[in-house]
Amino acid sequence: MKVLVTGGLGFIGSHTVVELQNKGFDVVIIDDLSNASVEVLEGIHAITGKKPEFEKIDLRNREAVHSFFKKYPDVSGIIHFAASKAVGESVENPLLYYENNISSLVYILKELQQKPEAQFIFSSSCTVYGQAEKMPITESAPIQPAMSPYGNTKQIGEEIIIDVAKVSNIKAVLLRYFNPIGAHESAEIGELPLGVPQNLVPFITQTAMGLRQELSVFGNDYPTPDGTCIRDYIHVVDLAKAHVVALQRLIENKNLEKVETFNLGTGTGSSVLEVIQTFEKVSGKKLPYKIVDRRPGDVVEAYADTTKANDVLGWKTTLSLEQALESAWKWEQKIRS
């Protein structure tokens, strides 16, 4: 079966392409290379022994999307990652985010609803919960008003998919990620942020390499055991495998509803300081950091209730925080060598 992975050269996308090819799927990637490198194809090839097909397309171009589906009529499984994802940038430039994240989704769904059937996996986010009232967060937790335009595009995206599925042959799974980190154990692919990293772990590894003078910890006065924010850090390889399980679920008609939702996390929260200390332990490096002001839009804590993903989807994480940080460090050292 041929599967389209949009944003397939990005961090999560590339790891998912590897897992799909390992399971025997034929993969075609769409990426506009705005936040990824075409060299990632070589990394995927090195791991799996097979290079996926690749099309450089800007999904905001409706004609280009239409032409793609004419060229690849046999695509019926889609995993949709392509989106802008920096919270801070979305606050500064909301229209960029609404155009990129919403119009691309609409154009793909327009093509899919003309097919006799289509399986659609959507890359969503735990940002849809905002600051949840109860921990751990279940899928039935209320969707809070979005704290950023980025978060809002994920909420709107989910609503669009639910509305379209009601009136078409599209079946969908919405996967709400917590905090993906790490890299493939081969160090052939990993997280490669352009410019200053927006996420904690690349900032940690770049600081350990001496590329950054020190790490900024945004606030140590939160109502948590050590005063720093708590997140659920999930190894990207575990996360990638969940997409394959979700796609197979739809292909085999095991879904209980037209649109299903699953949280993807480990079920364990780790504070920023715990992540720093764990990294120091696995790398043997002392990390220089300073406490700075809180960052607007940061929630105090967020970690997943994974019961539904474990019991209904039949997926669970197998890799630890230590393994994730170790793999991220190995990847950082490789790309700087």
Side-chain angles (χ1 to χ4, degrees), residues 7 11 38 50 79 99-100 126 143 145 171 175 179 181 184 209-210 215 264 291 333:
F11 176 42
V38 75
K50 187 177 177 189
I79 303 182
E99 181 189 28
N100 200 27
C126 66
I143 302 296
K171 298 180 293 187
L175 297 176
N179 292 66
I181 60 169
H184 194 269
M209 279 305 284
L215 181 70
L264 298 182
I291 309 295
Q333 289 172 296

Side-chain angles (χ1 to χ4, degrees), residues 45-294:
H45 185 212
I47 297 166
T48 64
K50 187 177 177 189
K51 191 182 277 193
E53 293 180 82
F54 170 63
E55 300 281 344
K56 183 175 186 265
I57 293 172
D58 184 337
L59 291 168
R60 293 173 295 185
N61 180 334
R62 189 177 166 188
E63 267 314 300
V65 177
H66 180 64
S67 299
F68 171 86
F69 280 95
K70 273 179 80 170
K71 182 177 175 182
Y72 295 93
D74 53 341
V75 164
S76 61
I78 290 88
I79 303 182
H80 183 48
F81 294 106
S84 303
K85 63 179 177 56
V87 171
E89 184 187 45
S90 79
V91 174
E92 290 158 21
N93 197 345
L95 285 178
L96 171 77
Y97 274 66
Y98 287 116
E99 181 189 28
N100 200 27
N101 296 5
I102 302 300
S103 61
S104 59
L105 173 65
V106 168
Y107 297 154
I108 289 169
L109 292 174
K110 270 181 181 290
E111 299 298 326
L112 293 187
Q113 70 175 2
Q114 294 169 43
K115 290 180 173 288
E117 66 165 342
Q119 288 87 27
F120 191 79
I121 311 294
F122 182 59
S123 164
S124 192
S125 167
C126 66
T127 55
V128 301
Y129 299 117
Q131 179 55 72
E133 286 144 26
K134 282 201 314 224
M135 292 295 139
I137 301 169
T138 68
E139 287 81 357
S140 57
I143 302 296
Q144 305 278 11
M147 295 174 82
S148 68
Y150 161 70
N152 203 24
T153 65
K154 291 300 181 188
Q155 292 184 7
I156 294 166
E158 288 193 1
E159 289 166 7
I160 290 169
I161 293 162
I162 290 164
D163 287 343
V164 173
K166 284 175 188 164
V167 293
S168 71
N169 289 316
I170 297 169
K171 298 180 293 187
V173 175
L174 314 176
L175 297 176
R176 293 174 179 163
Y177 316 154
F178 280 69
N179 292 66
I181 60 169
H184 194 269
E185 63 179 2
S186 64
E188 292 289 350
I189 56 174
E191 190 168 9
L192 193 57
L194 302 182
V196 180
Q198 299 283 338
N199 297 334
L200 175 62
V201 172
F203 221 110
I204 284 176
T205 56
Q206 288 188 12
T207 304
M209 279 305 284
L211 299 171
R212 310 264 161 214
Q213 201 176 345
E214 61 187 355
L215 181 70
S216 295
V217 175
F218 297 101
N220 66 344
D221 57 351
Y222 285 98
T224 62
D226 64 19
T228 62
C229 289
I230 288 174
R231 297 289 182 271
D232 187 337
Y233 295 96
I234 174 174
H235 197 304
V236 66
V237 172
D238 277 332
L239 185 67
K241 287 177 176 171
H243 291 76
V244 183
V245 174
L247 182 63
Q248 286 173 319
R249 179 177 174 81
L250 293 182
I251 293 166
E252 293 163 14
N253 291 313
K254 289 181 177 170
N255 52 306
L256 305 175
E257 299 163 84
K258 278 295 279 292
V259 181
E260 295 183 310
T261 305
F262 297 99
N263 285 341
L264 298 182
T266 64
T268 304
S270 302
S271 74
V272 174
L273 289 181
E274 283 174 329
V275 174
I276 291 171
Q277 287 153 8
T278 306
F279 178 81
E280 288 179 335
K281 191 175 83 182
V282 300
S283 68
K285 290 269 190 186
K286 198 81 187 121
L287 274 184
Y289 68 87
K290 67 172 178 191
I291 309 295
V292 297
D293 290 343
R294 290 184 179 194

